[in-house]
Amino acid sequence: MKYPVREGLAKTQHSAVHLEMRDSYTPDDPEFARWRADHRYGNDPAKLPEWWGPWRDLVGDMTARAVVMRRARVVSEPVTEYIRYEHDLTFANVAAGELVRWLPRRKAADIALPGTDLWMFDSSSVLFTYFSGNGEIVDREWCTKPAVVELVSSAFETVWERATPHEDHKLT
């Protein structure tokens, strides 16, 4: 499947935000299996596998252009094993230049959230990602309708304000 996030990022001038709301993604991911077998990178970006390099370089290019990249994760508590894995690897996102925050789902109950994960670019276009029940990506959809963009922007900013920065976030 084509990876349109890179297309959106290539056109971005000011900001890119990513809202994640699932408690599990691609459970058959080999990296997740390695993590479950106690493989850790020790918060050392130099130890990350080769597949991480293109994302690190992309984020570095974006932030060098003064594009602010923010990622917010809305998670259930206690967290799933997959969220523990994501939390453990988030040091790499931060080292690359992303700002990452975490929000417990119970603190998001009164926020009008979109029904699926998304990316928003320059507060003007949204890329929705649709998943199967087990966390595999099944489709993506672009939207530039002003009302939808405004809903997404409002939801993301509210999540961001309430969420805890990765550096301060402790898992339960």
Side-chain angles (χ1 to χ4, degrees):
M1 179 178 282
K2 184 174 128 179
Y3 199 63
V5 170
R6 292 182 192 281
E7 175 187 327
L9 290 171
K11 298 175 185 175
T12 300
Q13 301 290 315
H14 307 288
S15 68
V17 302
H18 190 188
L19 182 60
E20 297 178 350
M21 298 183 290
R22 292 186 55 87
D23 288 321
S24 180
Y25 296 87
T26 56
D28 296 332
D29 179 0
E31 277 297 310
F32 179 47
R34 289 181 69 205
W35 182 87
R36 292 178 81 199
D38 290 328
H39 177 79
R40 301 295 187 272
Y41 295 107
N43 291 337
D44 183 354
K47 293 182 179 179
L48 290 167
E50 188 175 305
W51 61 261
W52 180 253
W55 183 254
R56 178 201 59 227
D57 295 345
L58 177 63
V59 174
D61 291 346
M62 299 295 294
T63 57
R65 291 193 288 127
V67 173
V68 177
M69 293 187 68
R70 298 183 293 163
R71 179 183 303 256
R73 293 178 170 143
V74 178
V75 297
S76 299
E77 290 183 324
V79 298
T80 63
E81 185 178 32
Y82 196 91
I83 293 301
R84 289 188 183 286
Y85 159 70
E86 277 195 334
H87 193 272
D88 192 51
L89 287 179
T90 296
F91 78 89
N93 297 79
V94 173
E98 287 186 63
L99 304 171
V100 181
R101 292 188 180 183
W102 301 82
L103 184 66
R105 197 169 308 282
R106 69 175 46 252
K107 292 184 179 179
D110 62 342
I111 303 171
L113 293 169
T116 193
D117 289 15
L118 59 90
W119 279 88
M120 182 172 59
F121 307 99
D122 287 334
S123 299
S124 63
S125 63
V126 178
L127 177 62
F128 292 108
T129 304
Y130 302 106
F131 297 89
S132 66
N134 70 353
E136 301 292 334
I137 295 172
V138 295
D139 200 9
R140 290 191 168 99
E141 177 183 23
W142 286 98
C143 182
T144 57
K145 294 177 185 173
V148 174
V149 171
E150 177 56 35
L151 169 72
V152 167
S153 181
S154 175
F156 184 87
E157 293 305 328
T158 303
V159 167
W160 191 256
E161 289 172 15
R162 294 182 188 182
T164 304
H166 175 72
E167 299 77 15
D168 300 327
H169 185 258
K170 306 294 181 234
L171 294 178
T172 60

